[in-house]
Amino acid sequence: MKIGMNKNIVVLVALMVILLPGQASLWGHTLPDGSSCGGTHAPKTQNPELKEEHAGHDHGAPTDDDHAGHAHAAGESCGASAAIKHAGHAHAVGESCGTSAGHDHGLKADVGLKPVAELYSMGCEHGINSVKCDDCRYEIGAVKITDMLAKMVKTDVLHKTKLKQAVNFRGELEYDNNLLRTVTSPVLGVVATMNVRVGDSVKAGQLLAVLESRELAGTALELQKLSSELGLAQKKYEREELLSSKKIGTAESLQNAKQAYDSLLLENKRLRGQLRIMGVSVGEIDKVENGQDSAALFGRLSLTAPVNGRVTKVFTTIGGAIGEYQPVAEIADISKLRIKAFVGEKDIMSLLENAKANNISGYLRVGAFKDIKFDVKFVGVDSEVSRGTRLLGVNLEVNNPDELLRPVMFAQGELFLGATEEYLLLPASAVFKDDSKNYVFVEHEDMFLMREVSVDYNYSEYALVKSGIKEGDKYVVEGSFLLQSDVFRGKMGAGCAH
């Protein structure tokens, strides 16, 4: 239905153009000098007092008209833009300069690299310096500093900072093997009690589990029996020794008594050693030997924590049968952890050179504590590069006294190599990108100027300045996005509207 109506309108307009050529004055007419008048005039029949079509219509000399040779679309007033000199500058009806073809108010090419003095001398189409023009200053990346704007941004002065060469790394935290212990059962038996759970914090000597073992009970009873025999054998040997000294006893009796005593003494040492292997303490063995009550006589063996740490694994349950040297629990001291970090091949030479000189330091961060830096200690490097990733493994150590870090956490950080040197560093937050170029706002007199900079991101929080800004320059640290919105308004279609 709409398509049909549109066709009818087009046909009607075409007939009006053909049949009413005498009404051309409705749309415009040609002036004596050959130029076109875009003015709108009422038909003669509508104003009989006018003898001439151009009566009261002043067409002054073209040179006096700000819009000489400046064509307007139908219905637009000749004087609509007379206040601004845009000679030879065509606009569609209601269109602003910022969107008009041929009149781009966007950031001009390479202005971020031009000397400041040259920027201040550049003129605009309004006949003044661009930096002083409210409509055009953003074409050269300039933003005027107002009292309000000064309160909304934060600036700082660029100084040289003493730092070492930085190498970025990432990796995964893991246990220190030297601080990891597996508690095993030294005897055959059954788990009577289990006193810890996974995750529990334990101290060295703390009870972990109690086992019951027939083997242990039998060995303890054997030692207690032997202890009684050993006492009798010792007394007999001492008596024979006394008789021999008085020439009463025979040498054979003394020799037999000594042999029996020595044999029992050796067996006593064997049984004591066997109980020690079974995990019985020296104090408990002495109790058995002296005939005192001891848990070992009932086959009960206590397993204790060998180090301070946390229980990471439990391998059995109460009532479970357990074999000799079967693991019962695992304990790790996580006050110190290791991290297997990986660095690229380009950093290997420098890393190895400084490793020999013991001149490597660094830190790491984890996602759970982004604002905390944990110092790391260089331990060594792997013997080969990973075949899959072409990265070199670096072994680092990190102190963890508060146990904030946990194994398997993903970490990333920086290693600092070599001697300390001075660098020009910008906070990474001060640098922003546009069209793949890096920029920073620098304060100059009463303006913030957008300057193109060349930087290297060798540091996670800073950008190493290579060119574009010099020591002593005052730059915007925070709030540069506010300045960007003003500079880039040309790209977003803003302009000097007429």
Side-chain angles (χ1 to χ4, degrees), residues 45-83:
T45 56
Q46 308 243 338
N47 195 344
E49 295 181 2
L50 294 178
K51 307 296 183 180
E52 164 66 15
E53 278 187 346
H54 287 261
H57 191 89
D58 183 13
H59 291 281
T63 56
D64 294 333
D65 187 0
D66 289 336
H67 283 66
H70 189 91
H72 292 276
E76 185 180 11
S77 173
C78 290
S81 302

Side-chain angles (χ1 to χ4, degrees), residues 303-361:
L303 299 181
T304 59
V307 293
N308 296 335
R310 287 189 176 274
V311 178
T312 59
K313 294 178 182 178
V314 172
F315 299 97
T316 187
T317 58
I318 297 174
I322 195 161
E324 190 175 10
Y325 302 119
Q326 182 177 330
V328 176
E330 184 179 82
I331 298 173
D333 180 358
I334 62 174
S335 64
K336 188 177 294 183
L337 295 175
R338 289 290 187 99
I339 178 172
K340 175 72 75 174
F342 293 93
V343 299
E345 287 186 280
K346 65 182 180 65
D347 298 314
I348 291 178
M349 179 179 292
S350 180
L351 183 72
L352 295 178
E353 288 176 352
N354 286 283
K356 291 179 181 179
N358 195 26
N359 199 7
I360 299 177
S361 60

Side-chain angles (χ1 to χ4, degrees), residues 1-14:
M1 181 65 179
K2 290 183 179 180
I3 295 175
M5 290 180 65
N6 290 339
K7 288 182 178 180
N8 292 336
I9 292 171
V10 171
V11 172
L12 181 60
V13 171

Side-chain angles (χ1 to χ4, degrees), residues 139-443:
E139 295 181 12
I140 61 171
V143 180
K144 187 174 180 62
I145 302 175
T146 62
D147 292 341
M148 181 177 292
L149 186 61
K151 295 177 181 178
M152 298 174 69
V153 300
K154 180 181 178 181
T155 60
D156 198 2
V157 178
L158 183 63
H159 295 295
K160 286 187 176 179
T161 304
K162 291 184 177 181
L163 287 175
K164 295 183 178 183
Q165 177 191 349
V167 175
N168 295 322
F169 72 84
R170 57 185 59 194
E172 190 174 87
L173 290 166
E174 56 189 34
Y175 295 109
D176 184 339
N177 288 338
N178 290 333
L179 300 177
L180 189 64
R181 297 287 188 275
T182 300
V183 179
T184 59
S185 170
V187 295
L188 294 170
V190 175
V191 179
T193 66
M194 195 73 207
N195 300 77
V196 293
R197 294 179 174 83
V198 173
D200 286 354
S201 177
V202 296
K203 299 291 184 181
Q206 182 175 331
L207 181 65
L208 301 179
V210 175
L211 309 180
E212 292 181 347
S213 170
R214 290 181 181 180
E215 180 186 8
L216 173 61
T219 304
L221 287 171
E222 188 176 352
L223 175 62
Q224 194 173 60
K225 179 182 177 181
L226 181 67
S227 180
S228 298
E229 294 176 356
L230 181 62
L232 294 174
Q234 182 178 4
K235 290 178 179 179
K236 183 177 181 179
Y237 171 61
E238 290 174 350
R239 188 186 64 174
E240 291 295 335
E241 193 174 34
L242 179 62
L243 292 174
S244 177
S245 66
K246 293 181 178 182
K247 308 295 183 181
I248 299 176
T250 62
E252 183 179 0
S253 297
L254 177 61
Q255 183 177 1
N256 289 337
K258 184 178 185 306
Q259 184 177 357
Y261 174 70
D262 289 343
S263 177
L264 291 173
L265 189 62
L266 288 173
E267 182 65 12
N268 177 272
K269 290 181 179 181
R270 184 187 73 80
L271 291 174
R272 285 181 66 92
Q274 188 170 346
L275 288 175
R276 285 295 294 135
I277 293 174
M278 290 180 174
V280 182
S281 67
V282 174
E284 287 297 311
I285 294 175
D286 289 341
K287 287 181 179 181
V288 171
E289 194 172 7
N290 294 329
Q292 299 175 356
D293 287 339
S294 171
L297 292 171
F298 300 96
R300 295 177 68 86
L301 177 66
S302 297
L303 299 181
T304 59
V307 293
N308 296 335
R310 287 189 176 274
V311 178
T312 59
K313 294 178 182 178
V314 172
F315 299 97
T316 187
T317 58
I318 297 174
I322 195 161
E324 190 175 10
Y325 302 119
Q326 182 177 330
V328 176
E330 184 179 82
I331 298 173
D333 180 358
I334 62 174
S335 64
K336 188 177 294 183
L337 295 175
R338 289 290 187 99
I339 178 172
K340 175 72 75 174
F342 293 93
V343 299
E345 287 186 280
K346 65 182 180 65
D347 298 314
I348 291 178
M349 179 179 292
S350 180
L351 183 72
L352 295 178
E353 288 176 352
N354 286 283
K356 291 179 181 179
N358 195 26
N359 199 7
I360 299 177
S361 60
Y363 73 90
L364 64 80
R365 279 196 175 107
V366 295
F369 308 102
K370 294 181 179 179
D371 296 330
I372 302 178
K373 289 182 178 180
F374 298 89
D375 292 335
V376 297
K377 178 183 177 182
F378 174 79
V379 178
V381 296
D382 288 351
S383 58
E384 63 181 11
V385 175
S386 170
R387 294 181 182 275
T389 63
R390 312 306 301 172
L391 299 176
L392 178 66
V394 180
N395 299 306
L396 305 172
E397 186 177 89
V398 55
N399 288 324
N400 185 35
D402 297 327
E403 297 188 353
L404 296 178
L405 301 175
R406 298 301 170 98
V408 193
M409 276 185 171
F410 180 78
Q412 54 187 357
E414 291 177 317
L415 294 177
F416 302 114
L417 314 178
T420 301
E421 296 182 14
E422 289 188 335
Y423 298 96
L424 283 177
L425 296 178
L426 282 169
S429 60
V431 183
F432 60 93
K433 281 187 175 290
D434 180 56
D435 290 338
S436 74
K437 296 179 180 179
N438 294 305
Y439 292 93
V440 64
F441 279 104
V442 177
E443 183 176 332

Side-chain angles (χ1 to χ4, degrees), residues 92-108:
V93 179
E95 183 180 15
S96 70
C97 293
T99 57
S100 176
H103 187 65
D104 182 14
H105 281 286
L107 188 67
K108 292 183 178 179

